[in-house]
Amino acid sequence: MHLAYPAVLSVLLFCTGLYGVLARRNAILVLMSVELMLNAVNLNLVAFDVWLSKAAEETLHSGQALTLFTIAIAAAEIGIGLAIVLAVHRNRGTSDIDKLRDTAEGHEPDGPDTDTDTPATGTAAEKAEATA
């Protein structure tokens, strides 16, 4: 088998994962995209290991051993990442990355229609009395 086939598939998988990391707003989908990128790297490691073992007289299979370590690290990363996402979802009620970033920076509103110089008007009961 030619080296170009798994290499092209690996590039396609990695680009798909990179697009998912950059374009998605859901934390779980971002974690899935990171996993897709790691699997593309694993495919590349195994493909180059097989290709280089045909050329070398001694077969050490170091690419396949490194792939096993990468799979173990990826499994631990997903376990910890999902635990963090679930804890944040329980506390905040959302797993949207933009909303989480806004709450981490502070409670300042981003909208252009809100003015921070004007004093706050009051509760809903006071507003109802004012309109009546």
Side-chain angles (χ1 to χ4, degrees):
M1 179 169 67
H2 296 286
L3 183 62
Y5 298 134
V8 168
L9 180 63
S10 177
V11 166
L12 290 174
L13 283 174
F14 192 85
C15 289
T16 304
L18 185 64
Y19 173 75
V21 167
L22 295 177
R24 300 293 179 189
R25 299 291 180 235
N26 191 350
I28 295 175
L29 293 177
V30 170
L31 286 174
M32 288 174 61
S33 298
V34 168
E35 279 295 316
L36 198 61
M37 292 168 63
L38 286 173
N39 285 332
V41 171
N42 288 340
L43 178 64
N44 239 354
L45 284 171
V46 171
F48 274 97
D49 182 51
V50 169
W51 183 65
L52 290 174
S53 68
K54 289 180 181 178
E57 295 176 6
E58 297 178 5
T59 56
L60 295 177
H61 298 296
S62 58
Q64 293 178 12
L66 189 59
T67 299
L68 288 175
F69 286 118
T70 307
I71 289 171
I73 289 172
E77 176 255 338
I78 282 296
I80 292 171
L82 283 177
I84 291 171
V85 167
L86 285 174
V88 167
H89 188 270
R90 285 182 188 159
N91 289 336
R92 307 267 187 206
T94 183
S95 62
D96 189 9
I97 294 175
D98 288 336
K99 291 180 183 174
L100 296 177
R101 186 179 314 138
D102 292 342
T103 58
E105 292 173 358
H107 297 289
E108 300 173 6
D110 288 341
D113 57 341
T114 58
D115 190 9
T116 56
D117 294 330
T118 60
T121 56
T123 64
E126 293 175 7
K127 289 181 184 179
E129 288 178 18
T131 57

